[in-house]
Amino acid sequence: MKRLIPFVLLIAILLSTAAMAAGEAPDFEEGMISGIAADGDAYYAADTYNKVIWRVDASGTRVYAGDRTYTDIRGIVIADYYDGELAKARFMEPWAISPFVGGWAVTDASANVVRYFGDKTVETAAGSGEAGLVDGFCLNAEFSHPTGLATDDSGCLYIADTGNGAIRYLNTSGDVSTVLRGLSEPTGLCWFGGSLYIAETGRSRILRLTNGNLEVLAGDGGQPDEYGVYGCGYSDGPAAEALFEHPQGIAVAEDGTVYVADTGNAAIRRLKDGRVSTLVRSSSTLPQLTAPRSLLLKGTTLVAADSLTGAILEFDTRLHSFADVSDADWFAPSVKEALIRGIIAGEGERFDPQAPMTRADFVTMLANLQLCLEGDTVIDGGFAFTDITDETPYAAVARWSGDFGIITGTDTGAFAGDEPIERQQLVTILHRFVTISGLDTSGSADLAAFSDGASTSAYARTSMGWAVEHHIVNGFPDGTLAPRAGATRAQAVKIIVYFMDMYGF
């Protein structure tokens, strides 16, 4: 059986509120949760399938607004547009929820309106119900499939007018205006620090609008094809080169970290200091994360709503720490970066920095690097090593390395994953990775400059020369290179982070 290597750093748990003190999760009765909003310790959830607004609080999960008694012969709730008392109001497609003038705004996407609910009724806040792009007062305005919402510091509302490729603005007096046009299906919105953050779904980009100035923070769909469809994909790394697939949700933390619901990739991504990384992605252990749409932050906890599974999930955004890695350690910055980039897993209490790096552990880090570059890579293969079986913990990594051509095996055809890796073996693996990837491998230092340079094995001399030239490895104060010495875990992590930065990964 093929197995993918684990590279998720954080563990997801079902939403933990007072309503789940006994271990219960919210029961949305097969609903499709599109939008969530926090009301203290409670939550509102917009359900596009049941066409209602749910409330989750200490008393449990219940329908707060919307009437789902009208169904077709299949038992599916019939969409309708009707204002009135909470229990009698009907929705077409409730999408996002955000606080507004003492109550809550909710986009009713298929009805082309923005609705409003408080503690008694549901009303229409803006929109005539006709699809169009018209500014004006309240019901005179027109939208086309409005989705995302964000409330600014003055209590006014930004609206993702998805069908019009526009961002609209509803002030507290009821006036609708247009603040931005020319986007490709904007959906998720978040207001933070005087700026509006936008998930531009159609072009798979993350944008920021500040005082009328629009900037691209991450993602690039390139130019549209003959059908007007922009490119997308899955890759971490420098923000300008990172790829998303139709992201629909966005949230911003107090430290400025941007979290993205990368809906098409079934992942939650993180943008920090000009770099995109993966916080968590759907896996066999996290099947509830299939199409994340809405995000919100509560302190260091990121709450995500999945529009297909109907799950509300929590993720701890704090970076894992190891008891044996302190901020003063020379390798601490590299360990931190390796954790953020998903190169090493945030598991266990100890990192064991001075322990030997094994061949299997180093190849696992390199496999995680490959996933960083191309998130759709399958880490597995058909290569047969004499000492690898399906029960070997790192079997998938080993087979991938063989198929990829970076590990050819020992003289007996073994992977020898538990053996400590030599410095010359480590740089040879890196050099092969660069060569196979079609990247620049130019430059070579003279190994004769080291007193033991001649002891470098013949197979590793080209790789070692390249590594020394680019300072991937360096000599020691006594003038030796120690090519056959083992590398510690701390050294290996520092090397691979330096290597990533060197090539702009």
Side-chain angles (χ1 to χ4, degrees):
M1 179 179 70
K2 292 187 176 182
R3 292 174 290 177
L4 300 183
I5 63 171
F7 73 106
V8 172
L9 303 184
L10 303 176
I11 304 300
I13 59 174
L14 289 176
L15 179 61
S16 178
T17 68
M20 281 155 273
E24 298 178 1
D27 181 7
F28 298 117
E29 301 183 22
E30 301 182 350
M32 299 175 67
I33 304 305
S34 178
I36 51 175
D39 182 19
D41 291 331
Y43 289 83
Y44 289 108
D47 183 345
T48 60
Y49 180 78
N50 286 307
K51 299 171 179 57
V52 296
I53 307 297
W54 298 89
R55 182 176 172 87
V56 182
D57 58 25
S59 65
T61 304
R62 68 185 190 280
V63 173
Y64 184 80
D67 183 358
R68 54 187 180 135
T69 59
Y70 299 93
T71 61
D72 62 18
I73 58 174
R74 299 166 295 173
I76 298 174
V77 178
I78 298 172
D80 202 352
Y81 171 26
Y82 176 75
D83 286 341
E85 297 175 12
L86 292 175
K88 296 181 179 179
R90 298 176 67 183
F91 293 91
M92 295 286 290
E93 188 183 11
W95 188 283
I97 304 173
S98 191
F100 186 58
V101 291
W104 302 87
V106 54
T107 43
D108 199 345
S110 294
N112 301 310
V113 296
V114 179
R115 314 282 288 277
Y116 173 88
F117 66 91
D119 56 2
K120 293 182 179 180
T121 61
V122 175
E123 306 169 23
T124 299
S128 68
E130 297 293 327
L133 180 55
V134 177
D135 290 338
F137 181 69
C138 289
L139 305 187
N140 295 325
E142 292 182 359
F143 303 90
S144 178
H145 204 82
T147 56
L149 293 172
T151 307
D152 69 10
D153 297 332
S154 63
C156 298
L157 201 64
Y158 284 95
I159 304 156
D161 195 358
T162 307
N164 285 317
I167 303 298
R168 314 288 291 281
Y169 188 69
L170 173 62
N171 66 22
T172 54
S173 298
D175 297 309
V176 176
S177 57
T178 301
V179 298
L180 183 64
R181 296 185 64 178
L183 302 182
S184 178
E185 300 178 7
T187 52
L189 301 179
C190 179
W191 177 265
F192 177 80
S195 296
L196 182 70
Y197 291 76
I198 305 167
E200 188 186 15
T201 305
R203 201 164 176 177
S204 296
R205 301 191 302 180
I206 306 304
L207 313 175
R208 181 168 60 192
L209 181 67
T210 308
N211 296 326
N213 297 315
L214 185 68
E215 57 183 318
V216 179
L217 296 183
D220 183 6
Q223 296 300 312
D225 61 18
E226 59 182 312
Y227 303 104
V229 177
Y230 289 93
C232 55
Y234 191 149
S235 65
D236 288 337
E241 301 171 13
L243 296 176
F244 302 85
E245 184 167 346
H246 304 109
Q248 293 185 1
I250 193 164
V252 185
E254 289 298 321
D255 66 354
T257 301
V258 180
Y259 294 94
V260 179
D262 192 1
T263 311
N265 283 319
I268 300 196
R269 315 283 290 282
R270 172 176 45 200
L271 171 59
K272 172 76 170 173
D273 297 329
R275 186 178 186 87
V276 174
S277 58
T278 297
L279 180 70
V280 66
R281 193 178 187 186
S282 180
S283 66
S284 59
T285 58
L286 188 59
Q288 305 99 324
L289 190 67
T290 301
R293 175 173 289 168
S294 181
L295 300 177
L296 66 85
L297 278 154
K298 297 188 70 176
T300 60
T301 299
L302 182 69
V303 185
D306 193 284
S307 59
L308 283 185
T309 64
I312 295 182
L313 306 168
E314 283 188 345
F315 303 95
D316 187 347
T317 61
R318 292 171 296 182
L319 193 64
H320 185 80
S321 61
F322 296 105
D324 54 357
V325 178
S326 70
D327 291 342
D329 291 326
W330 62 267
F331 49 83
S334 297
V335 172
K336 178 180 178 181
E337 278 300 309
L339 279 168
I340 292 172
R341 301 180 190 190
I343 302 304
I344 59 177
E347 300 172 354
E349 296 182 0
R350 299 180 58 82
F351 177 66
D352 294 324
Q354 303 310 322
M357 173 61 72
T358 66
R359 287 163 58 90
D361 283 347
F362 186 73
V363 174
T364 297
M365 288 201 300
L366 203 58
N368 287 338
L369 168 57
Q370 178 64 28
L371 285 169
C372 174
L373 301 177
E374 297 181 12
D376 291 328
T377 301
V378 175
I379 303 300
D380 208 336
F383 198 93
F385 291 101
T386 57
D387 58 344
I388 296 295
T389 69
D390 282 347
E391 285 66 45
T392 305
Y394 44 80
V397 169
R399 290 190 290 254
W400 167 80
S401 71
D403 279 5
F404 200 57
I406 61 173
I407 297 291
T408 56
T410 65
D411 292 341
T412 62
F415 181 70
D418 294 327
E419 292 185 7
I421 193 168
E422 297 178 353
R423 283 161 58 87
Q424 63 180 1
Q425 293 172 336
L426 184 152
V427 298
T428 298
I429 291 172
L430 286 179
H431 190 254
R432 286 175 182 167
F433 183 91
V434 172
T435 302
I436 292 167
S437 300
L439 301 170
D440 182 17
T441 59
S442 61
S444 181
D446 184 3
L447 300 185
F450 301 94
S451 61
D452 60 348
S455 67
T456 304
S457 298
Y459 77 84
R461 287 171 187 164
T462 298
S463 301
M464 186 62 80
W466 162 80
V468 172
E469 174 69 18
H470 294 287
H471 304 288
I472 295 172
V473 296
N474 298 298
F476 294 96
D478 62 358
T480 62
L481 183 59
R484 297 173 183 266
T488 67
R489 291 171 57 80
Q491 291 169 341
V493 166
K494 186 174 178 62
I495 286 172
I496 203 164
V497 169
Y498 176 87
F499 170 77
M500 291 178 70
D501 290 342
M502 170 185 163
Y503 279 97
F505 294 155

